[in-house]
Amino acid sequence: MFTTRPTLQGTFGMVSSTHWLASAAGMAVLEAGGNAFDAAVAAGFTLQVVEPHLNGPAGEVPIILAPVDGPVRVLCGQGPAPAGASVGHYRALGLSLVPGTGPLAAAVPGAFDAWLLLLRDHGTRSLAEVLRFAIGYAEYGHPAVGQVGSTVETVRELFEKEWTSSAELYLPGGRAPQPGALLTNPALAATWRRLLREAEAAGSGREAQIDAARRIWREGFIAEALAAFAARPAMDSSGERHAGTLTGDDLAGYSAHYEGPVTYSWNGWTVAKPGAWSQGPVFLQQLALLPEDLGSLDEAEYVHTLVEGTKLAMADREAWYGDAAEVPIGALLSPSYNDARRGLIGDQASYDLRPGSPEGREPRLAEYVLHGEDLADAPGAGEPTVGSDGATRGDTCHLDVVDRWGNLVSATPSGGWLQSNPVVPGLGFPLGTRLQMATLTPGLPSTLTPGRRPRTTLSPSLALRGDRPVLAFGTPGGDQQDQWSLHFFLAAALRPLVRGGLDLQGAIDAPNWHTEGFPSSFHPRRSRPGSLFVESRFDPGTVERLRRRGHQVTVGGPWSEGRLCAVARDPETGVLSAGANPRGMQGYAVGR
């Protein structure tokens, strides 16, 4: 089939990410002798500089990795709620939702420590070697993509009137970054240079220096600046100024950690995902709901079946996912449960939120689901994702790497974007807003709880054939991540092989879609029952048949759904492959 780009193939290494400069940085590390984990860290830090509207150092990142000499593991870089972030504290402030912006929405930052833990435990390069790309682009500049400036324009008034430290960086002279103009961040470059100096002075070995850098982030000059700034009241999406709950003790007590993945086997594949503190098991529930005759369905029936399965899985997410209680994953993925749930998929689109009762347990839902919230969107609030008009606005980042030894890694860095919080003076980056995903309804798995992770949408993926890792993939997109990723995976898994490998680019380029027929994970938590957003490349007859089934179809642009990346390795031949998304005009794969 015709594709926008070829599926890259080679034997040395492949990097795919949501920005070409990050992919190039990762490939440069591979060329210098580094492995996939070194390359991923270099690409990850580069993304913080070149996509500052999508992620930052004080954000979060789940990473799923398959070392050639070890089992598949999840590295959790999602920080928990600070010790002072209780439901009572937010209710006492008169809030019914955690704000979508500002210090009150900040969890303990997790991305920095996760990247460094990955480098220490699985990489081979020094911290200076992988940070040099991010430092160079921050100090000497990189050509700004158009979305940086357009994002800044959406929060111009907020920056100019309230978040003046952000205005100094992103509105110099009152002018937002122009497409292609060099954008610098001298404060961030200085932060990383000071970090390296202090870490190198603390020890001579690679691992000792990485651990020293982790301590500096938690307890040194970076921690001091973050905690001090979090304590200052700042305007947030509630329309009021609030101080945050993040303290130096919260920062000092945090460490990223490893855990086992949640897996599900389907049609000869085993897909590994992060646990139910993330959105990851939604992907697996959607797989479990697929009918045996999926391959025989026409296009309209196929889309309808997947959309209705998505609604059921997302309803379970609302009732059962989170870090504040035990999640019945085994029951949610069991054959008996999914056989019964599959029977709820009828010929017509459902407009109801229908969580199930695994193990006979009655589902409970948050107040914003039961009663709704009449809240207006605020500048910078939520996650900048695909809008109701189907236009891609972009959010979050993603990267995948495979090397010649067979190591695979998939990561979805996010949060700490420029519109989340004011830039911390002297550091060059803001805090994140991930606490907005926790509910203030007591007693739920997703209830805001000190020391517990807010439920996140971030969801990298890794797939195995038998017990051998083959495919790493993922996408930005908030609630859409495990929809777009599933559509990609099914397209790749069901298509004929191309040149002896998976047709990654063909699966990425295939027309995509999503539904918002469930509460958004982001402030102000709206739902659009019956909604279905499709690309205009769909056959008009398919669109009409979907409308006859009751779907409220919005036809977006031809390339408006998804920002997928993917890499693969054929375990029989060692041939590597990669593809990247043409949507958004900045994702690229490189390799040889």
Side-chain angles (χ1 to χ4, degrees), residues 63-120:
I63 304 168
I64 189 161
L65 58 146
V68 68
D69 57 353
V72 174
R73 301 288 285 168
V74 171
L75 175 51
C76 176
Q78 173 58 64
S86 66
V87 169
H89 177 71
Y90 287 72
R91 292 289 192 184
L93 294 172
L95 298 170
S96 59
L97 294 176
V98 178
T101 61
L104 270 180
V108 180
F112 180 87
D113 199 63
W115 285 125
L116 264 64
L117 199 61
L118 180 68
L119 181 67
R120 186 197 71 181

Side-chain angles (χ1 to χ4, degrees), residues 4 30 45 77 93 111 179 202 239 255 293 296 298 302 317-318 323 333 421 438 443 466 473 522 533 544 584:
T4 57
L30 292 180
F45 276 103
L93 294 172
S255 175
D293 63 347
S296 66
D298 67 28
Y302 179 85
R317 183 194 72 172
E318 290 303 307
D323 197 35
L333 295 176
N421 257 298
F473 60 100
F522 295 91
F533 301 87
E544 180 56 32

